[in-house]
Amino acid sequence: MLKEGALKGKTIVVTGGGTGLGRSMTKYFLELGANAVICSRKQEVLEKAAEELMQETGGQVLAVACDVRKYNEIEAMLQATLDKFGRVDVLVNNAAGNFVSPTERLSHKAFDVITDIVLKGSYNCTLALGKHWIEQKQEGTILNIVTTYAWTGSGYVVPSACAKAGVLAMTRSLASEWAKYGIRSNAIAPGPFPTEGAWTRLFPKQLADKLDPVKRIPVGRFGEHQELANLAAYLVSDYAAFVNGEVVTIDGGEWLYGAGEFNAFDQIPQEMWDAMEKQMRGKG
Ligand code: HXC
Ligand code: NAP
């Protein structure tokens, strides 16, 4: 979508960049000329992804094992990034953990594990890179991947909803506070985009047979990874220099469909509308 070389000279850290949407965003950043640093807990997954991404795009990828819950590991990842590329320009807080469960079935550790990865992981990375940019008097860009239930809330994913809401609050708060340092903060709220990580934990087979998530999406399909990558590339690029504190929804209209009082009426067949109209008009 963007011009060739639109991200040339930028070094972009993508947490959770070895799989799913993180990998797809990283691939497009590389195609647009950026250097990439991908980090997550599993070194072997990262190394395989880095190798493939470099072959596919001809770009430079550094794979660093790093648990975003641990601040010292993020500092080590930042140092490795500076050693390899000499600078860092963009942070994409994409790493996450999630599963569906009735809240009363959760242990306190299950609640912790999700909020620690999503909220603590995002603020840890933001703090480490933000301090670095401020010290270096260098501009920086933060892009947080949230969800549409960050503002609506959602049953059955309560730890994730609490954590993503916190990340959204951080996005908007720092957009005001850190703009004076040349640091922009934005977020993307994706609807359903098929990935192994999300599908195995959120739409297990027993559920997929009962509830078809596509039925809730007005455009009638899931998102395509390139569509999300296009938006992410724009938001981290200099073309978006005046976009700050925004959350951009990319969900085919899903959350508004769920919110609109009468939207489910699109399941009403034509003959039923005929009968209902006749009856309503008859009432004068
Ligand atoms: C209830 C569960 C559970 C489940 C784990 N736990 N799975 N409780 N239901 N399905 C509990 C465990 O019993 C334990 O508590 C605690 O959670 C920690 O579990 P561990 O397995 O030890 O944690 P860990 O190995 O760190 O794994 C973290 C994880 C795992 C989050 C549980 O799923 C993971 O690694 N996820 C990373 C990738 C991911 O989740 N991707 C999806 C993102 S999708 P006790 O008390 O027993 O010790 C997304 C999209 C949203 O966010 C929107 C879609 C439209
Ligand atoms: P995914 O492939 O499972 O991505 C999650 C990534 O986070 C994995 O690479 C995982 O790698 C990493 N991670 C987990 N815990 C970590 C930790 N403690 N430290 C560092 N990295 C960690 O799932 P996805 O669907 O692509 O999700 C990507 C992002 O999009 C998430 O923020 C998710 O909430 C958001 N999202 C997805 C959808 C969707 O439909 N797919 C919808 C809305 C929002 P390791 O296991 O190796 O650590």
Side-chain angles (χ1 to χ4, degrees), residues 19 41-42 69 94 96-102 105-111 113-114 117-118 146-149 157 160 164 190-193 195-199 201-203 254:
T19 65
R41 294 165 299 179
K42 299 186 193 99
R69 294 170 289 191
N94 164 80
N98 206 353
F99 47 73
V100 282
S101 173
R105 290 170 67 113
L106 297 176
S107 69
H108 66 90
K109 282 191 192 152
F111 215 112
V113 79
I114 303 303
I117 299 170
V118 176
V146 296
T147 55
T148 53
Y149 58 67
V157 284
S160 171
K164 294 286 192 185
F193 284 72
T195 66
E196 200 195 326
W199 255 234
R201 293 170 177 97
L202 301 170
F203 305 117
E254 185 197 34

mmCIF file of all heavy atoms in Angstrom, residues 19 41-42 69 94 96-102 105-111 113-114 117-118 146-149 157 160 164 190-193 195-199 201-203 254, ligand 1:
data_model
loop_
_atom_site.group_PDB
_atom_site.id
_atom_site.type_symbol
_atom_site.label_atom_id
_atom_site.label_comp_id
_atom_site.label_asym_id
_atom_site.label_seq_id
_atom_site.Cartn_x
_atom_site.Cartn_y
_atom_site.Cartn_z
ATOM 1 N N THR A 19 5.244 -14.952 15.190
ATOM 2 C CA THR A 19 4.045 -15.722 14.811
ATOM 3 C C THR A 19 2.905 -14.773 14.427
ATOM 4 O O THR A 19 2.964 -13.564 14.709
ATOM 5 C CB THR A 19 3.530 -16.585 16.004
ATOM 6 O OG1 THR A 19 3.080 -15.705 17.052
ATOM 7 C CG2 THR A 19 4.589 -17.509 16.548
ATOM 8 N N ARG A 41 9.064 -15.454 23.764
ATOM 9 C CA ARG A 41 9.736 -16.353 24.701
ATOM 10 C C ARG A 41 10.495 -17.486 23.996
ATOM 11 O O ARG A 41 11.463 -18.004 24.522
ATOM 12 C CB ARG A 41 8.704 -16.958 25.669
ATOM 13 C CG ARG A 41 8.067 -15.946 26.574
ATOM 14 C CD ARG A 41 6.833 -16.496 27.244
ATOM 15 N NE ARG A 41 5.810 -16.871 26.276
ATOM 16 C CZ ARG A 41 4.638 -17.393 26.582
ATOM 17 N NH1 ARG A 41 4.335 -17.632 27.837
ATOM 18 N NH2 ARG A 41 3.767 -17.699 25.631
ATOM 19 N N LYS A 42 10.012 -17.918 22.832
ATOM 20 C CA LYS A 42 10.551 -19.155 22.227
ATOM 21 C C LYS A 42 11.610 -18.863 21.162
ATOM 22 O O LYS A 42 11.296 -18.543 20.018
ATOM 23 C CB LYS A 42 9.404 -19.961 21.611
ATOM 24 C CG LYS A 42 8.358 -20.373 22.650
ATOM 25 C CD LYS A 42 7.314 -21.291 22.057
ATOM 26 C CE LYS A 42 6.117 -21.429 22.985
ATOM 27 N NZ LYS A 42 4.989 -20.567 22.621
ATOM 28 N N ARG A 69 7.378 -9.803 30.330
ATOM 29 C CA ARG A 69 7.024 -9.593 31.743
ATOM 30 C C ARG A 69 8.257 -9.228 32.566
ATOM 31 O O ARG A 69 8.137 -8.798 33.702
ATOM 32 C CB ARG A 69 6.385 -10.866 32.313
ATOM 33 C CG ARG A 69 5.046 -11.177 31.677
ATOM 34 C CD ARG A 69 4.539 -12.550 32.063
ATOM 35 N NE ARG A 69 5.305 -13.613 31.444
ATOM 36 C CZ ARG A 69 4.956 -14.890 31.447
ATOM 37 N NH1 ARG A 69 3.847 -15.267 32.071
ATOM 38 N NH2 ARG A 69 5.692 -15.809 30.860
ATOM 39 N N ASN A 94 2.766 -6.059 20.499
ATOM 40 C CA ASN A 94 1.840 -7.015 19.869
ATOM 41 C C ASN A 94 1.722 -8.312 20.676
ATOM 42 O O ASN A 94 0.733 -9.027 20.565
ATOM 43 C CB ASN A 94 2.358 -7.288 18.446
ATOM 44 C CG ASN A 94 1.741 -8.512 17.820
ATOM 45 O OD1 ASN A 94 0.623 -8.465 17.325
ATOM 46 N ND2 ASN A 94 2.452 -9.630 17.837
ATOM 47 N N ALA A 96 0.860 -11.102 23.251
ATOM 48 C CA ALA A 96 -0.345 -11.238 24.078
ATOM 49 C C ALA A 96 -0.529 -12.677 24.502
ATOM 50 O O ALA A 96 0.046 -13.596 23.916
ATOM 51 C CB ALA A 96 -1.575 -10.774 23.292
ATOM 52 N N GLY A 97 -1.354 -12.841 25.506
ATOM 53 C CA GLY A 97 -1.809 -14.165 25.927
ATOM 54 C C GLY A 97 -3.303 -14.068 26.163
ATOM 55 O O GLY A 97 -3.798 -13.010 26.560
ATOM 56 N N ASN A 98 -4.013 -15.152 25.897
ATOM 57 C CA ASN A 98 -5.469 -15.098 26.030
ATOM 58 C C ASN A 98 -6.035 -16.508 26.018
ATOM 59 O O ASN A 98 -5.398 -17.429 25.493
ATOM 60 C CB ASN A 98 -6.055 -14.316 24.841
ATOM 61 C CG ASN A 98 -7.394 -13.669 25.143
ATOM 62 O OD1 ASN A 98 -7.976 -13.898 26.200
ATOM 63 N ND2 ASN A 98 -7.876 -12.869 24.220
ATOM 64 N N PHE A 99 -7.176 -16.724 26.617
ATOM 65 C CA PHE A 99 -7.983 -17.929 26.412
ATOM 66 C C PHE A 99 -9.390 -17.613 26.880
ATOM 67 O O PHE A 99 -9.587 -16.674 27.642
ATOM 68 C CB PHE A 99 -7.406 -19.162 27.152
ATOM 69 C CG PHE A 99 -7.012 -18.913 28.576
ATOM 70 C CD1 PHE A 99 -7.960 -18.744 29.566
ATOM 71 C CD2 PHE A 99 -5.670 -18.854 28.926
ATOM 72 C CE1 PHE A 99 -7.595 -18.525 30.884
ATOM 73 C CE2 PHE A 99 -5.288 -18.624 30.243
ATOM 74 C CZ PHE A 99 -6.255 -18.456 31.226
ATOM 75 N N VAL A 100 -10.364 -18.383 26.387
ATOM 76 C CA VAL A 100 -11.754 -18.152 26.816
ATOM 77 C C VAL A 100 -12.060 -19.013 28.032
ATOM 78 O O VAL A 100 -11.680 -20.177 28.080
ATOM 79 C CB VAL A 100 -12.785 -18.459 25.699
ATOM 80 C CG1 VAL A 100 -12.839 -17.336 24.684
ATOM 81 C CG2 VAL A 100 -12.532 -19.788 25.031
ATOM 82 N N SER A 101 -12.739 -18.393 28.991
ATOM 83 C CA SER A 101 -13.135 -19.158 30.184
ATOM 84 C C SER A 101 -14.168 -18.359 30.974
ATOM 85 O O SER A 101 -14.039 -17.134 31.086
ATOM 86 C CB SER A 101 -11.908 -19.389 31.078
ATOM 87 O OG SER A 101 -12.288 -19.977 32.303
ATOM 88 N N PRO A 102 -15.167 -19.040 31.562
ATOM 89 C CA PRO A 102 -16.006 -18.330 32.535
ATOM 90 C C PRO A 102 -15.088 -17.793 33.638
ATOM 91 O O PRO A 102 -14.190 -18.512 34.107
ATOM 92 C CB PRO A 102 -16.931 -19.426 33.073
ATOM 93 C CG PRO A 102 -16.928 -20.485 32.010
ATOM 94 C CD PRO A 102 -15.558 -20.444 31.401
ATOM 95 N N ARG A 105 -14.202 -19.646 36.867
ATOM 96 C CA ARG A 105 -13.362 -20.848 36.788
ATOM 97 C C ARG A 105 -11.880 -20.517 36.853
ATOM 98 O O ARG A 105 -11.038 -21.416 36.951
ATOM 99 C CB ARG A 105 -13.626 -21.596 35.470
ATOM 100 C CG ARG A 105 -14.995 -22.255 35.413
ATOM 101 C CD ARG A 105 -15.270 -22.765 34.013
ATOM 102 N NE ARG A 105 -14.381 -23.854 33.645
ATOM 103 C CZ ARG A 105 -14.764 -25.105 33.447
ATOM 104 N NH1 ARG A 105 -16.044 -25.433 33.576
ATOM 105 N NH2 ARG A 105 -13.910 -26.040 33.109
ATOM 106 N N LEU A 106 -11.531 -19.230 36.767
ATOM 107 C CA LEU A 106 -10.115 -18.839 36.716
ATOM 108 C C LEU A 106 -9.485 -18.856 38.103
ATOM 109 O O LEU A 106 -10.109 -18.414 39.076
ATOM 110 C CB LEU A 106 -9.971 -17.419 36.161
ATOM 111 C CG LEU A 106 -10.432 -17.174 34.731
ATOM 112 C CD1 LEU A 106 -10.302 -15.685 34.397
ATOM 113 C CD2 LEU A 106 -9.616 -18.017 33.762
ATOM 114 N N SER A 107 -8.240 -19.295 38.171
ATOM 115 C CA SER A 107 -7.462 -19.103 39.400
ATOM 116 C C SER A 107 -6.874 -17.693 39.331
ATOM 117 O O SER A 107 -6.830 -17.085 38.258
ATOM 118 C CB SER A 107 -6.328 -20.128 39.480
ATOM 119 O OG SER A 107 -5.360 -19.844 38.484
ATOM 120 N N HIS A 108 -6.389 -17.194 40.478
ATOM 121 C CA HIS A 108 -5.792 -15.850 40.425
ATOM 122 C C HIS A 108 -4.546 -15.854 39.552
ATOM 123 O O HIS A 108 -4.213 -14.868 38.918
ATOM 124 C CB HIS A 108 -5.525 -15.314 41.843
ATOM 125 C CG HIS A 108 -4.488 -16.077 42.601
ATOM 126 N ND1 HIS A 108 -3.162 -15.766 42.559
ATOM 127 C CD2 HIS A 108 -4.597 -17.158 43.401
ATOM 128 C CE1 HIS A 108 -2.488 -16.618 43.315
ATOM 129 N NE2 HIS A 108 -3.336 -17.477 43.832
ATOM 130 N N LYS A 109 -3.887 -17.024 39.460
ATOM 131 C CA LYS A 109 -2.686 -17.104 38.605
ATOM 132 C C LYS A 109 -3.063 -17.026 37.130
ATOM 133 O O LYS A 109 -2.322 -16.488 36.315
ATOM 134 C CB LYS A 109 -1.934 -18.408 38.857
ATOM 135 C CG LYS A 109 -1.122 -18.371 40.124
ATOM 136 C CD LYS A 109 -0.203 -19.581 40.173
ATOM 137 C CE LYS A 109 0.396 -19.723 41.533
ATOM 138 N NZ LYS A 109 0.724 -21.128 41.845
ATOM 139 N N ALA A 110 -4.212 -17.587 36.788
ATOM 140 C CA ALA A 110 -4.665 -17.524 35.385
ATOM 141 C C ALA A 110 -4.966 -16.074 35.003
ATOM 142 O O ALA A 110 -4.679 -15.642 33.888
ATOM 143 C CB ALA A 110 -5.899 -18.394 35.195
ATOM 144 N N PHE A 111 -5.547 -15.336 35.951
ATOM 145 C CA PHE A 111 -5.826 -13.912 35.701
ATOM 146 C C PHE A 111 -4.500 -13.175 35.535
ATOM 147 O O PHE A 111 -4.298 -12.396 34.595
ATOM 148 C CB PHE A 111 -6.626 -13.331 36.886
ATOM 149 C CG PHE A 111 -7.631 -12.286 36.502
ATOM 150 C CD1 PHE A 111 -8.993 -12.529 36.606
ATOM 151 C CD2 PHE A 111 -7.216 -11.043 36.042
ATOM 152 C CE1 PHE A 111 -9.926 -11.555 36.253
ATOM 153 C CE2 PHE A 111 -8.142 -10.058 35.697
ATOM 154 C CZ PHE A 111 -9.495 -10.317 35.806
ATOM 155 N N VAL A 113 -1.554 -14.304 34.628
ATOM 156 C CA VAL A 113 -0.698 -14.628 33.481
ATOM 157 C C VAL A 113 -1.091 -13.777 32.264
ATOM 158 O O VAL A 113 -0.228 -13.300 31.517
ATOM 159 C CB VAL A 113 -0.683 -16.153 33.183
ATOM 160 C CG1 VAL A 113 -1.922 -16.617 32.439
ATOM 161 C CG2 VAL A 113 0.541 -16.525 32.377
ATOM 162 N N ILE A 114 -2.382 -13.531 32.106
ATOM 163 C CA ILE A 114 -2.839 -12.735 30.951
ATOM 164 C C ILE A 114 -2.513 -11.247 31.148
ATOM 165 O O ILE A 114 -1.947 -10.596 30.256
ATOM 166 C CB ILE A 114 -4.368 -12.920 30.733
ATOM 167 C CG1 ILE A 114 -4.725 -14.399 30.547
ATOM 168 C CG2 ILE A 114 -4.845 -12.072 29.554
ATOM 169 C CD1 ILE A 114 -4.023 -15.103 29.426
ATOM 170 N N ILE A 117 1.262 -10.554 30.760
ATOM 171 C CA ILE A 117 1.799 -10.518 29.383
ATOM 172 C C ILE A 117 1.306 -9.244 28.686
ATOM 173 O O ILE A 117 2.088 -8.499 28.089
ATOM 174 C CB ILE A 117 1.369 -11.761 28.558
ATOM 175 C CG1 ILE A 117 1.874 -13.057 29.184
ATOM 176 C CG2 ILE A 117 1.882 -11.627 27.113
ATOM 177 C CD1 ILE A 117 1.284 -14.340 28.575
ATOM 178 N N VAL A 118 0.002 -8.985 28.781
ATOM 179 C CA VAL A 118 -0.593 -7.939 27.927
ATOM 180 C C VAL A 118 -0.328 -6.537 28.497
ATOM 181 O O VAL A 118 0.219 -5.675 27.797
ATOM 182 C CB VAL A 118 -2.112 -8.190 27.746
ATOM 183 C CG1 VAL A 118 -2.760 -7.055 26.952
ATOM 184 C CG2 VAL A 118 -2.342 -9.526 27.036
ATOM 185 N N VAL A 146 -4.466 -3.685 20.332
ATOM 186 C CA VAL A 146 -5.463 -3.966 21.376
ATOM 187 C C VAL A 146 -6.578 -4.836 20.783
ATOM 188 O O VAL A 146 -6.317 -5.703 19.942
ATOM 189 C CB VAL A 146 -5.958 -2.658 22.049
ATOM 190 C CG1 VAL A 146 -4.810 -1.978 22.775
ATOM 191 C CG2 VAL A 146 -6.635 -1.703 21.086
ATOM 192 N N THR A 147 -7.787 -4.652 21.227
ATOM 193 C CA THR A 147 -8.944 -5.402 20.695
ATOM 194 C C THR A 147 -10.146 -4.464 20.786
ATOM 195 O O THR A 147 -10.090 -3.453 21.508
ATOM 196 C CB THR A 147 -9.289 -6.631 21.568
ATOM 197 O OG1 THR A 147 -9.476 -6.167 22.901
ATOM 198 C CG2 THR A 147 -8.227 -7.690 21.554
ATOM 199 N N THR A 148 -11.224 -4.811 20.109
ATOM 200 C CA THR A 148 -12.397 -3.928 20.186
ATOM 201 C C THR A 148 -13.060 -4.011 21.568
ATOM 202 O O THR A 148 -13.715 -3.067 21.987
ATOM 203 C CB THR A 148 -13.419 -4.261 19.082
ATOM 204 O OG1 THR A 148 -13.715 -5.653 19.151
ATOM 205 C CG2 THR A 148 -12.868 -3.934 17.703
ATOM 206 N N TYR A 149 -12.867 -5.141 22.270
ATOM 207 C CA TYR A 149 -13.476 -5.205 23.618
ATOM 208 C C TYR A 149 -12.636 -4.455 24.664
ATOM 209 O O TYR A 149 -12.961 -4.494 25.845
ATOM 210 C CB TYR A 149 -13.803 -6.653 24.030
ATOM 211 C CG TYR A 149 -12.642 -7.636 24.041
ATOM 212 C CD1 TYR A 149 -11.593 -7.524 24.951
ATOM 213 C CD2 TYR A 149 -12.624 -8.712 23.154
ATOM 214 C CE1 TYR A 149 -10.552 -8.427 24.970
ATOM 215 C CE2 TYR A 149 -11.577 -9.627 23.157
ATOM 216 C CZ TYR A 149 -10.548 -9.479 24.074
ATOM 217 O OH TYR A 149 -9.504 -10.384 24.102
ATOM 218 N N VAL A 157 -13.487 -13.351 28.474
ATOM 219 C CA VAL A 157 -12.073 -12.987 28.248
ATOM 220 C C VAL A 157 -11.746 -11.809 29.168
ATOM 221 O O VAL A 157 -11.098 -10.850 28.766
ATOM 222 C CB VAL A 157 -11.772 -12.609 26.764
ATOM 223 C CG1 VAL A 157 -11.702 -13.823 25.867
ATOM 224 C CG2 VAL A 157 -12.803 -11.602 26.230
ATOM 225 N N SER A 160 -8.104 -10.504 29.685
ATOM 226 C CA SER A 160 -7.635 -9.845 28.457
ATOM 227 C C SER A 160 -8.323 -8.494 28.287
ATOM 228 O O SER A 160 -7.672 -7.495 27.933
ATOM 229 C CB SER A 160 -7.917 -10.751 27.249
ATOM 230 O OG SER A 160 -7.666 -10.067 26.044
ATOM 231 N N LYS A 164 -6.233 -5.106 28.002
ATOM 232 C CA LYS A 164 -6.257 -4.319 26.756
ATOM 233 C C LYS A 164 -6.825 -2.924 27.037
ATOM 234 O O LYS A 164 -6.400 -1.946 26.406
ATOM 235 C CB LYS A 164 -7.085 -5.035 25.688
ATOM 236 C CG LYS A 164 -6.485 -6.358 25.202
ATOM 237 C CD LYS A 164 -5.277 -6.170 24.290
ATOM 238 C CE LYS A 164 -4.875 -7.471 23.593
ATOM 239 N NZ LYS A 164 -3.660 -7.352 22.796
ATOM 240 N N PRO A 190 -7.961 -4.817 16.188
ATOM 241 C CA PRO A 190 -8.410 -5.728 15.133
ATOM 242 C C PRO A 190 -9.640 -6.525 15.566
ATOM 243 O O PRO A 190 -9.787 -6.884 16.736
ATOM 244 C CB PRO A 190 -7.222 -6.693 14.957
ATOM 245 C CG PRO A 190 -6.120 -6.204 15.853
ATOM 246 C CD PRO A 190 -6.765 -5.340 16.896
ATOM 247 N N GLY A 191 -10.496 -6.827 14.618
ATOM 248 C CA GLY A 191 -11.519 -7.859 14.823
ATOM 249 C C GLY A 191 -10.859 -9.194 14.529
ATOM 250 O O GLY A 191 -9.631 -9.288 14.554
ATOM 251 N N PRO A 192 -11.644 -10.245 14.236
ATOM 252 C CA PRO A 192 -11.026 -11.560 14.034
ATOM 253 C C PRO A 192 -10.190 -11.681 12.753
ATOM 254 O O PRO A 192 -10.681 -11.428 11.661
ATOM 255 C CB PRO A 192 -12.233 -12.518 13.956
ATOM 256 C CG PRO A 192 -13.400 -11.747 14.429
ATOM 257 C CD PRO A 192 -13.112 -10.301 14.204
ATOM 258 N N PHE A 193 -8.922 -12.032 12.961
ATOM 259 C CA PHE A 193 -7.980 -12.340 11.872
ATOM 260 C C PHE A 193 -7.448 -13.738 12.187
ATOM 261 O O PHE A 193 -6.795 -13.903 13.229
ATOM 262 C CB PHE A 193 -6.788 -11.363 11.863
ATOM 263 C CG PHE A 193 -7.092 -10.006 11.307
ATOM 264 C CD1 PHE A 193 -7.869 -9.095 12.015
ATOM 265 C CD2 PHE A 193 -6.602 -9.625 10.067
ATOM 266 C CE1 PHE A 193 -8.151 -7.836 11.496
ATOM 267 C CE2 PHE A 193 -6.873 -8.372 9.545
ATOM 268 C CZ PHE A 193 -7.653 -7.471 10.250
ATOM 269 N N THR A 195 -5.424 -16.696 13.136
ATOM 270 C CA THR A 195 -4.039 -17.045 13.472
ATOM 271 C C THR A 195 -4.130 -18.306 14.322
ATOM 272 O O THR A 195 -5.157 -18.531 14.986
ATOM 273 C CB THR A 195 -3.318 -15.959 14.312
ATOM 274 O OG1 THR A 195 -3.952 -15.861 15.599
ATOM 275 C CG2 THR A 195 -3.286 -14.600 13.641
ATOM 276 N N GLU A 196 -3.073 -19.093 14.308
ATOM 277 C CA GLU A 196 -3.106 -20.324 15.106
ATOM 278 C C GLU A 196 -3.252 -19.989 16.588
ATOM 279 O O GLU A 196 -4.022 -20.596 17.313
ATOM 280 C CB GLU A 196 -1.831 -21.119 14.850
ATOM 281 C CG GLU A 196 -1.979 -22.567 15.227
ATOM 282 C CD GLU A 196 -0.660 -23.276 15.325
ATOM 283 O OE1 GLU A 196 0.262 -22.945 14.547
ATOM 284 O OE2 GLU A 196 -0.555 -24.163 16.200
ATOM 285 N N GLY A 197 -2.485 -18.964 17.034
ATOM 286 C CA GLY A 197 -2.494 -18.597 18.454
ATOM 287 C C GLY A 197 -3.883 -18.235 18.943
ATOM 288 O O GLY A 197 -4.330 -18.703 19.998
ATOM 289 N N ALA A 198 -4.586 -17.394 18.199
ATOM 290 C CA ALA A 198 -5.911 -16.945 18.635
ATOM 291 C C ALA A 198 -6.954 -18.040 18.445
ATOM 292 O O ALA A 198 -7.776 -18.287 19.330
ATOM 293 C CB ALA A 198 -6.313 -15.692 17.864
ATOM 294 N N TRP A 199 -6.921 -18.703 17.312
ATOM 295 C CA TRP A 199 -7.984 -19.674 16.998
ATOM 296 C C TRP A 199 -7.972 -20.857 17.956
ATOM 297 O O TRP A 199 -9.014 -21.319 18.404
ATOM 298 C CB TRP A 199 -7.866 -20.120 15.533
ATOM 299 C CG TRP A 199 -8.904 -19.498 14.649
ATOM 300 C CD1 TRP A 199 -9.768 -20.167 13.829
ATOM 301 C CD2 TRP A 199 -9.220 -18.098 14.480
ATOM 302 N NE1 TRP A 199 -10.587 -19.252 13.186
ATOM 303 C CE2 TRP A 199 -10.281 -18.002 13.558
ATOM 304 C CE3 TRP A 199 -8.722 -16.924 15.037
ATOM 305 C CZ2 TRP A 199 -10.846 -16.774 13.179
ATOM 306 C CZ3 TRP A 199 -9.274 -15.702 14.654
ATOM 307 C CH2 TRP A 199 -10.315 -15.645 13.740
ATOM 308 N N ARG A 201 -7.048 -20.904 21.000
ATOM 309 C CA ARG A 201 -7.410 -20.530 22.373
ATOM 310 C C ARG A 201 -8.781 -19.879 22.495
ATOM 311 O O ARG A 201 -9.363 -19.844 23.570
ATOM 312 C CB ARG A 201 -6.360 -19.584 22.941
ATOM 313 C CG ARG A 201 -5.032 -20.285 23.131
ATOM 314 C CD ARG A 201 -3.929 -19.323 23.456
ATOM 315 N NE ARG A 201 -2.694 -20.029 23.693
ATOM 316 C CZ ARG A 201 -1.750 -20.207 22.769
ATOM 317 N NH1 ARG A 201 -1.911 -19.738 21.555
ATOM 318 N NH2 ARG A 201 -0.641 -20.855 23.074
ATOM 319 N N LEU A 202 -9.268 -19.295 21.392
ATOM 320 C CA LEU A 202 -10.525 -18.520 21.489
ATOM 321 C C LEU A 202 -11.684 -19.159 20.753
ATOM 322 O O LEU A 202 -12.841 -18.945 21.101
ATOM 323 C CB LEU A 202 -10.301 -17.100 20.954
ATOM 324 C CG LEU A 202 -9.220 -16.331 21.709
ATOM 325 C CD1 LEU A 202 -8.871 -15.047 20.990
ATOM 326 C CD2 LEU A 202 -9.655 -16.028 23.123
ATOM 327 N N PHE A 203 -11.391 -19.912 19.710
ATOM 328 C CA PHE A 203 -12.466 -20.570 18.954
ATOM 329 C C PHE A 203 -12.155 -22.058 18.827
ATOM 330 O O PHE A 203 -12.007 -22.569 17.711
ATOM 331 C CB PHE A 203 -12.608 -19.954 17.550
ATOM 332 C CG PHE A 203 -12.815 -18.463 17.549
ATOM 333 C CD1 PHE A 203 -11.878 -17.608 16.970
ATOM 334 C CD2 PHE A 203 -13.950 -17.896 18.117
ATOM 335 C CE1 PHE A 203 -12.068 -16.228 16.964
ATOM 336 C CE2 PHE A 203 -14.142 -16.512 18.119
ATOM 337 C CZ PHE A 203 -13.200 -15.679 17.543
ATOM 338 N N GLU A 254 -17.591 -5.348 12.940
ATOM 339 C CA GLU A 254 -18.070 -6.342 13.912
ATOM 340 C C GLU A 254 -18.589 -5.752 15.222
ATOM 341 O O GLU A 254 -19.660 -6.107 15.695
ATOM 342 C CB GLU A 254 -16.970 -7.351 14.218
ATOM 343 C CG GLU A 254 -17.440 -8.476 15.132
ATOM 344 C CD GLU A 254 -16.300 -9.242 15.782
ATOM 345 O OE1 GLU A 254 -15.259 -8.632 16.096
ATOM 346 O OE2 GLU A 254 -16.455 -10.445 15.985
HETATM 347 C C1 HXC B 1 -8.395 -21.611 32.650
HETATM 348 C C2 HXC B 1 -6.084 -21.593 32.375
HETATM 349 C C3 HXC B 1 -6.238 -21.904 30.986
HETATM 350 C C4 HXC B 1 -7.575 -22.070 30.475
HETATM 351 C C5 HXC B 1 -4.101 -21.706 31.412
HETATM 352 N N1 HXC B 1 -4.750 -21.469 32.573
HETATM 353 N N2 HXC B 1 -4.998 -21.968 30.434
HETATM 354 N N3 HXC B 1 -7.144 -21.440 33.183
HETATM 355 N N4 HXC B 1 -8.619 -21.907 31.347
HETATM 356 N N5 HXC B 1 -7.822 -22.360 29.192
HETATM 357 C C6 HXC B 1 -4.137 -21.163 33.872
HETATM 358 C C7 HXC B 1 -3.210 -22.279 34.351
HETATM 359 O O1 HXC B 1 -3.949 -23.333 34.981
HETATM 360 C C8 HXC B 1 -2.314 -21.521 35.351
HETATM 361 O O2 HXC B 1 -2.969 -21.270 36.578
HETATM 362 C C9 HXC B 1 -2.170 -20.158 34.685
HETATM 363 O O3 HXC B 1 -3.280 -20.024 33.771
HETATM 364 C C10 HXC B 1 -0.868 -20.054 33.892
HETATM 365 O O4 HXC B 1 -0.854 -21.108 32.946
HETATM 366 P P1 HXC B 1 0.493 -21.630 32.250
HETATM 367 O O5 HXC B 1 0.112 -22.642 31.216
HETATM 368 O O6 HXC B 1 1.491 -22.011 33.294
HETATM 369 O O7 HXC B 1 1.045 -20.262 31.554
HETATM 370 P P2 HXC B 1 2.070 -20.049 30.392
HETATM 371 O O8 HXC B 1 2.819 -21.334 30.071
HETATM 372 O O9 HXC B 1 2.848 -18.810 30.713
HETATM 373 O O10 HXC B 1 1.134 -19.783 29.100
HETATM 374 C C11 HXC B 1 0.419 -18.574 28.983
HETATM 375 C C12 HXC B 1 -0.928 -18.759 28.285
HETATM 376 C C13 HXC B 1 -0.748 -19.494 26.924
HETATM 377 C C14 HXC B 1 -1.541 -17.380 28.113
HETATM 378 C C15 HXC B 1 -1.818 -19.600 29.192
HETATM 379 O O11 HXC B 1 -2.022 -19.671 26.304
HETATM 380 C C16 HXC B 1 0.171 -18.746 25.984
HETATM 381 O O12 HXC B 1 1.375 -18.945 26.022
HETATM 382 N N6 HXC B 1 -0.388 -17.859 25.139
HETATM 383 C C17 HXC B 1 0.405 -16.998 24.203
HETATM 384 C C18 HXC B 1 -0.249 -16.815 22.872
HETATM 385 C C19 HXC B 1 -1.714 -16.445 22.890
HETATM 386 O O13 HXC B 1 -2.414 -16.603 23.909
HETATM 387 N N7 HXC B 1 -2.173 -15.961 21.746
HETATM 388 C C20 HXC B 1 -3.566 -15.554 21.558
HETATM 389 C C21 HXC B 1 -3.680 -14.090 21.506
HETATM 390 S S1 HXC B 1 -5.211 -13.760 20.775
HETATM 391 P P3 HXC B 1 -2.759 -22.239 37.894
HETATM 392 O O14 HXC B 1 -3.515 -21.544 38.989
HETATM 393 O O15 HXC B 1 -3.347 -23.559 37.496
HETATM 394 O O16 HXC B 1 -1.262 -22.300 38.135
HETATM 395 C C22 HXC B 1 -5.912 -12.373 21.347
HETATM 396 C C23 HXC B 1 -7.060 -11.940 20.430
HETATM 397 C C24 HXC B 1 -8.276 -11.437 21.058
HETATM 398 O O17 HXC B 1 -5.518 -11.802 22.305
HETATM 399 C C25 HXC B 1 -9.420 -11.065 20.122
HETATM 400 C C26 HXC B 1 -9.861 -12.079 19.113
HETATM 401 C C27 HXC B 1 -11.011 -11.648 18.236
#
